[in-house]
Amino acid sequence: MSDHRSPDTGFRTSLLEENDGPAVNPTDNRTMGEIIAARFSRRGFLKGSLAVSAIAATVSPLALVAADDARAAEASAFTFDELEAGIDDKHHVAPGYDADVLLRWGDPLFADSPEFDPAKQSAEAQAKQFGYNNDYVGYIPIDGSAEHGLLVVNHEYTNPHLMFPGIVKIVDKDGKKAAEVAPLSKEQVDVEMAAHGGSIVEIRKDGGKWQVVRDGKLNRRITSNTEMQLAGPAAGHDRLKTNADPAGTKVIGTFNNCAGGVTPWGTYVMAEENIHGYFSGELPEGHKEAANYKRLGIPEGAYEWGAHYDRFNLAKEPNEANRFGWIVEVDVNDPASVPRKRTAMGRFKHEGAESIVAKDGRVVFYLGDDERFDYAYKFVTTGKFNANDLAANKDLLDDGTLHVAKFGEDGTVEWMPIVFGQGPLTAENGFASQADVLIETRRAADLLGATKMDRPEDIQPNGANGKVYVMLTNNSKRKAEQVDAANPRASNAFGHIIEISEDGGDFAAAKGKWEVLLKCGDPSVAEVGATFSTATTANGWFGMPDNCAVDSAGRLWVATDGQGPKATGRTDGLWAVDTEGAARATSKLFFRVPIGAEMCGPLFAPDDQTAFVAVQHPGDGGEDWEAFGRPSYYEDLSTRWPDFKPDMPTRPSVVAITKKGGGKIAV
Ligand code: FEO
Ligand code: CA
Ligand code: CA
């Protein structure tokens, strides 16, 4: 998700207000006949007049749709009983499953970690506890086990108005109640910095239930204060040098780590996404980084870190922002290892770094750049994966070719190499080296003519069928004249999913074919133009696809970000999406989050017997829900934490979903 100050409340919060698509009925109170009729009219429109008249001449449209629904339902790869969509303050899972909270913000990870106490937060305590908002979730087996491993979790960002008691005041503004957030103290900023980054946590399944191994020997917190090394072509470049690091190779910390990945050699990769918010101040007049920073929206100043730490103030440390926006790789087997920022993989608002070994042994990473009208990328290593000696893959990510996607109107996709000296990436356009090209990846991709997408989020290769799924979450700013084949809707409030088939089934291929798997949104509202299969129920459709996963059977699961009362009348959740055969584009709701939360993860244990999901910022969004310990935004939030009880659904959490009685999920 993107985190900005809300114009309504001043809170650093989600971009819910941007998901302002056509009005939808939040209730589910139409008859089945109305739903079928609405679907039929959409199908008729999609399939053309010939199909419609042929149908009309023979059988009743309702009978035909019902028959189609039955065929699709029969062909579905998912057998669970669907959960009902809705809105309340709790999480819910489909019948027959347990959804147990495994980790929550503030949970102690080490022997000497203090217990969580919202009234006594400190940076020291937070650095020994599970961090705030959790986005990416990965699992790295210990000794090959599906029941004992390391859970790696990105802590993307912080919501101070939900974290700190007493910082919100209600004021009268032009005769209306408005909220004012007090400036954070240095101590609160320090808590925020410690709440970002990632957690590496040993977990074990005992008697069918997952437990955290407190003080596991590989447990680790990575924060915005963890020392890291810059590696690859841009390391040591002048544009990465600062007063604190005249060599341009040592960075302190990582932040806004959104979706990420685990490599085939068992390291944890964290993608630095909305880095612009952490910088404030102004570059010196005429500074050479001005255009570079503008292209990334730097500085945005949503965070107050620059008021307390000079490195986040562009006036004082103009190069620091060039040291963020990278992919970070962490060796989880050594808690003292120095994470590496892998500059070969480009610098942008990185989302996701899911990987797969190509036919010839090179490793391919799919990377989104989550901004309206930005691009989809893939990185192909030069070296080959060594499965026999995992340590030999240690620096594979320092050498390879980054590519950006051009989606043709004819259904082909071209992966264009981003290489200094090739095409327009030359001195004439201000690039003196590959380091320059990587530091300004977006500008290089602009020059190559990449296709401007509707906010590329997670991109997932699927080894089971050779396909790649691209989540495009939404783009309310796309105008009718900006519509193209790969971004087919103007004012795209609900997003879509593209499926890529790389040429020859080779993930490293330079070209492929693509098609739209799904246009999202409510399929019963004609002007939305959603394309779920006719077998999809009123609970089964969704908007704003964001993170995703494939299980080991190759089935697609999609998590959403940005639904809610105003946008879709349902909370975010996890949907199972058929991609094959008659059931293709049928979607079913499996899990949903409390109001105000975003659905992240998701991740399947290697034996498919657990789905780990991450619940970010429950309670954000301004609605009245007593269980959150506050009546609404427009009251003093100091009423929130004094009433704190450990089981309140207020804390970002990782939830482990298992089938009652055991067995594989959804089989
Ligand atoms: Fe952090 Fe693009 O979601
Ligand atoms: Ca998200
Ligand atoms: Ca995301």
Side-chain angles (χ1 to χ4, degrees):
M1 77 134 262
S2 300
D3 38 316
H4 295 258
R5 294 278 178 198
S6 155
D8 296 335
T9 62
F11 299 152
R12 186 187 309 144
T13 186
S14 66
L15 289 176
L16 206 63
E17 67 274 12
E18 291 185 4
N19 300 320
D20 53 354
V24 293
N25 185 339
T27 62
D28 213 0
N29 55 6
R30 287 162 295 143
T31 65
M32 227 22 234
E34 284 171 326
I35 293 168
I36 290 172
R39 288 207 181 120
F40 177 76
S41 66
R42 182 175 56 80
R43 279 159 47 92
F45 173 74
L46 290 172
K47 292 194 170 176
S49 58
L50 185 67
V52 173
S53 54
I55 289 162
T58 52
V59 294
S60 125
L62 293 190
L64 196 106
V65 171
D68 258 15
D69 283 358
R71 260 202 304 279
E74 213 167 86
S76 175
F78 301 100
T79 55
F80 65 89
D81 293 329
E82 184 169 47
L83 175 66
E84 208 172 312
I87 297 186
D88 64 19
D89 58 355
K90 301 194 173 44
H91 70 233
H92 298 268
V93 68
Y97 295 85
D98 289 325
D100 301 311
V101 172
L102 176 63
L103 277 159
R104 284 175 301 206
W105 170 46
D107 279 353
L109 300 183
F110 306 95
D112 61 348
S113 305
E115 294 298 320
F116 180 62
D117 181 344
K120 287 190 192 145
Q121 297 182 52
S122 72
E124 293 68 32
Q126 178 65 87
K128 292 177 179 177
Q129 299 166 331
F130 194 63
Y132 200 68
N133 277 331
N134 26 227
D135 196 293
Y136 177 73
V137 178
Y139 177 86
I140 301 172
I142 293 175
D143 296 331
S145 175
E147 301 197 336
H148 182 207
L150 298 175
L151 204 67
V152 296
V153 182
N154 281 352
H155 300 299
E156 185 181 8
Y157 74 109
T158 45
N159 296 94
H161 66 285
L162 301 178
M163 293 171 72
F164 302 119
I167 66 165
V168 179
K169 295 243 174 334
I170 306 308
V171 295
D172 189 38
K173 205 169 161 189
D174 306 327
K176 284 205 292 201
K177 277 208 286 188
E180 250 179 32
V181 189
L184 299 189
S185 66
K186 179 165 183 296
E187 288 68 30
Q188 287 167 328
V189 164
D190 288 342
V191 171
E192 282 198 299
M193 292 178 75
H196 278 71
S199 288
I200 298 165
V201 189
E202 184 178 340
I203 57 169
R204 186 192 287 276
K205 204 174 179 189
D206 260 335
K209 294 288 177 191
W210 288 93
Q211 313 289 341
V212 168
V213 181
R214 183 168 172 172
D215 211 32
K217 66 181 196 302
L218 299 179
N219 284 7
R220 182 176 187 185
R221 273 305 318 283
I222 289 165
T223 75
S224 301
N225 287 312
T226 302
E227 185 180 322
M228 313 204 161
Q229 200 75 29
L230 284 154
H237 192 278
D238 281 350
R239 298 172 74 178
L240 269 48
K241 292 175 181 169
T242 62
N243 288 314
D245 175 31
T249 55
K250 189 173 99 176
V251 187
I252 303 302
T254 184
F255 42 76
N256 216 277
N257 307 93
C258 201
V262 165
T263 64
W265 51 98
T267 59
Y268 163 33
V269 279
M270 310 168 74
E272 296 181 336
E273 193 194 24
N274 288 304
I275 57 152
H276 57 309
Y278 299 79
F279 295 92
S280 51
E282 281 183 32
L283 280 177
E285 184 70 27
H287 196 275
K288 60 181 179 357
E289 300 298 349
N292 162 25
Y293 287 1
K294 187 166 179 223
R295 183 67 179 81
L296 284 156
I298 299 168
E300 196 246 11
Y303 292 75
E304 294 148 64
W305 298 8
H308 302 285
Y309 293 97
D310 285 353
R311 69 186 176 113
F312 300 112
N313 182 339
L314 298 184
K316 297 185 174 157
E317 199 57 270
N319 281 352
E320 183 75 1
N322 273 338
R323 295 144 62 85
F324 294 86
W326 303 103
I327 292 286
V328 181
E329 184 180 19
V330 185
D331 172 5
V332 298
N333 290 317
D334 173 9
S337 66
V338 176
R340 301 269 197 279
K341 294 204 180 187
R342 299 297 188 184
T343 65
M345 301 173 84
R347 174 169 170 270
F348 42 89
K349 292 183 185 172
H350 270 288
E351 166 107 18
E354 297 285 7
S355 57
I356 193 156
V357 179
K359 285 179 173 171
D360 66 0
R362 290 180 293 165
V363 188
V364 181
F365 287 75
Y366 289 91
L367 311 163
D369 182 355
D370 181 7
E371 185 99 60
R372 297 181 198 88
F373 303 109
D374 261 289
Y375 308 130
Y377 296 85
K378 81 173 176 186
F379 177 79
V380 184
T381 60
T382 302
K384 292 182 180 177
F385 173 56
N386 185 337
N388 301 317
D389 177 10
L390 294 186
N393 304 293
K394 170 167 86 66
D395 291 320
L396 215 48
L397 298 184
D398 280 345
D399 193 0
T401 305
L402 184 65
H403 303 75
V404 66
K406 184 187 233 172
F407 291 89
E409 299 283 320
D410 60 352
T412 60
V413 55
E414 181 188 354
W415 293 103
M416 303 181 292
I418 303 179
V419 176
F420 171 66
Q422 290 188 16
L425 308 183
T426 59
E428 228 167 51
N429 285 312
F431 299 111
S433 63
Q434 183 66 10
D436 277 336
V437 166
L438 293 166
I439 290 167
E440 292 187 78
T441 303
R442 281 184 171 182
R443 191 167 69 85
D446 294 343
L447 288 162
L448 289 166
T451 303
K452 296 177 177 179
M453 309 300 289
D454 287 347
R455 291 186 56 195
E457 303 251 19
D458 209 358
I459 305 178
Q460 182 71 49
N462 184 351
N465 64 3
K467 305 277 168 68
V468 181
Y469 302 102
V470 185
M471 304 298 120
L472 296 154
T473 197
N474 63 63
N475 182 354
S476 54
K477 299 278 193 288
R478 187 175 291 275
K479 299 193 174 77
E481 63 270 24
Q482 294 171 305
V483 161
D484 59 35
N487 300 277
R489 285 187 291 184
S491 188
N492 181 7
F494 303 108
H496 58 289
I497 298 174
I498 284 180
E499 180 186 72
I500 295 174
S501 310
E502 303 280 28
D503 276 1
D506 175 9
F507 290 102
K511 287 195 161 84
K513 307 240 175 332
W514 67 269
E515 58 184 281
V516 174
L517 171 67
L518 258 185
K519 294 185 217 167
C520 305
D522 185 345
S524 70
V525 179
E527 63 264 34
V528 169
T531 59
F532 290 91
S533 88
T534 56
T536 303
T537 73
N539 301 306
W541 63 266
F542 58 83
M544 301 86 164
D546 186 338
N547 293 14
C548 66
V550 292
D551 58 24
S552 51
R555 300 174 303 179
L556 179 64
W557 300 77
V558 175
T560 65
D561 173 16
Q563 303 197 75
K566 279 196 284 185
T568 60
R570 54 192 55 200
T571 60
D572 283 319
L574 180 64
W575 276 264
V577 180
D578 277 296
T579 59
E580 308 297 325
R584 184 170 164 88
T586 304
S587 171
K588 271 171 85 171
L589 178 57
F590 184 65
F591 178 87
R592 65 177 159 94
V593 296
I595 187 167
E598 163 188 357
M599 180 84 279
C600 298
L603 184 271
F604 286 80
D607 60 3
D608 275 349
Q609 296 204 19
T610 305
F612 295 102
V613 292
V615 179
Q616 283 218 60
H617 52 78
D620 198 7
E623 291 79 17
D624 282 358
W625 290 96
E626 285 293 342
F628 289 112
R630 60 174 168 82
S632 83
Y633 268 167
Y634 294 102
E635 299 296 337
D636 184 345
L637 291 192
S638 62
T639 60
R640 175 186 172 87
W641 291 119
D643 296 334
F644 171 76
K645 295 180 197 68
D647 61 350
M648 274 176 163
T650 50
R651 294 157 74 183
S653 59
V654 173
V655 174
I657 303 172
T658 50
K659 201 170 190 173
K660 287 186 193 295
K664 292 192 177 204
I665 298 278
V667 171

